[in-house]
Amino acid sequence: MKTTILQMDIAWGDNKGNVLRADAMIDDAPEADLYILPEMFSTGFTANPEGLVEGEDCKTLEWMYRKAKEKGAAIAGSIATKCGERFFNRLYFVKPDGDVVAYDKRHLFSYAGENLHYTRGEERVIVEWRGVRIMLQVCYDLRFPVFSRNHGDYDMLIYVASWPTSRIKVWDTLLHARALENQCYVAGVNRVGSDPKCEYCGNSVIISPYGDDIAVCESYEESAKVAEIDMEKLRSFRKKFPVMDDADIIHD
């Protein structure tokens, strides 16, 4: 399964402009089965969603439907979403047939006050796409390995993010740790540019189960890179070196 990561420069609060930019980046990117956009790619990350959030008739999600159908591929990215009276940082995985799977960010970034305005998700969400089982995660989730521990139920982790330059070493380190400890592929898709509070350098990457970088976006630049998710190689590696057979059993 070919996966393209899209490292965007997101214009603060410019929903229409950002969607147009994402559309153009996908058109210019290497062809793939899956395109992954950053966290809150249509607005930029906001801990206070008033004025930026989209309702359940989300125009950005409508665009994702159309683009997925046009490309014959899945598209993933998170959107600040309002459902009733509650707000969610919701990662959508949209398939070309119109099927959509949604994951609500579980670990809300209390350091920035995200937990004061959004409702956290409760469910692990794994979607199957073209023979690959993919667990959906958002930004701050990366710091919490117990929730994302592989129980033999997925082959790839996706992290969409707005991870600032000041803490980028943590991003780089933990993405590789998640690939190694869970014996899986990891796609980490971060933004570049700036918003009213932070600067972002990107460092988006796809990592193999061996911890090797197989697609790398240039720091501080908009970029699109593609890598092959090779399930035959992954199954062979897990059979040869069955780490998960020795994993601790976590009781709730």
Side-chain angles (χ1 to χ4, degrees):
M1 183 188 75
K2 289 185 178 179
T3 298
T4 292
I5 52 177
L6 299 154
Q7 182 168 281
M8 282 181 63
D9 185 348
I10 301 169
W12 176 250
D14 183 5
N15 184 286
K16 183 177 180 180
N18 289 320
V19 170
L20 288 172
R21 183 67 193 135
D23 190 271
M25 286 190 72
I26 289 174
D27 284 345
D28 293 341
E31 290 191 6
D33 300 289
L34 170 62
Y35 297 88
I36 310 174
L37 294 156
E39 179 182 24
M40 294 192 190
F41 69 90
S42 62
T43 57
F45 175 78
T46 176
N48 188 345
E50 293 290 352
L52 292 178
V53 71
E54 296 192 60
E56 293 180 77
D57 60 344
C58 180
K59 300 299 183 184
T60 302
L61 181 58
E62 290 181 8
W63 166 79
M64 293 176 77
Y65 283 127
R66 293 194 303 271
K67 200 65 178 177
K69 183 177 181 180
E70 174 191 325
K71 301 298 289 187
I75 298 176
S78 100
I79 304 170
T81 305
K82 185 176 183 180
C83 296
E85 297 304 312
R86 298 191 297 170
F87 301 105
F88 297 90
N89 186 343
R90 181 164 289 173
L91 173 54
Y92 289 104
F93 190 103
V94 180
K95 300 178 182 179
D97 64 358
D99 183 33
V100 60
V101 178
Y103 164 71
D104 293 326
K105 185 178 181 181
R106 177 177 175 85
H107 300 96
L108 300 174
F109 192 40
S110 58
Y111 182 79
E114 186 181 20
N115 60 312
L116 301 178
H117 301 278
Y118 293 83
T119 299
R120 81 170 192 166
E122 298 294 338
E123 303 294 329
R124 283 166 55 101
V125 175
I126 297 168
V127 57
E128 186 167 354
W129 178 237
R130 295 187 175 166
V132 182
R133 299 169 302 168
I134 303 166
M135 186 172 186
L136 307 180
Q137 298 276 269
V138 179
C139 202
Y140 193 46
D141 287 329
L142 179 59
R143 287 183 178 265
F144 302 93
V146 174
F147 183 67
S148 63
R149 186 60 48 84
N150 197 342
H151 305 301
D153 53 354
Y154 67 78
D155 310 303
M156 182 180 182
L157 279 165
I158 287 177
Y159 290 95
V160 301
S162 291
W163 200 286
T165 303
S166 59
R167 295 187 289 276
I168 202 64
K169 184 176 180 180
V170 178
W171 166 259
D172 295 337
T173 301
L174 294 183
L175 286 174
H176 288 84
R178 296 296 89 82
L180 292 166
E181 71 192 7
N182 293 299
Q183 212 169 26
C184 70
Y185 288 92
V186 171
V189 185
N190 193 25
R191 62 161 297 180
V192 292
S194 62
D195 61 24
K197 293 187 176 180
C198 292
E199 178 190 79
Y200 305 92
C201 65
N203 286 30
S204 301
V205 64
I206 300 177
I207 305 166
S208 80
Y210 292 90
D212 298 324
D213 296 347
I214 56 175
V216 180
C217 292
E218 297 83 357
S219 297
Y220 296 99
E221 296 180 11
E222 280 196 324
S223 181
K225 299 293 181 181
V226 65
E228 181 76 32
I229 307 304
D230 189 329
M231 286 302 300
E232 183 176 343
K233 185 179 291 185
L234 176 59
R235 284 189 287 265
S236 176
F237 177 41
R238 287 175 171 175
K239 183 177 180 180
K240 180 180 179 181
F241 191 55
V243 173
M244 286 184 287
D245 290 351
D246 299 321
D248 298 306
I249 298 174
I250 305 295
H251 297 284
D252 294 330

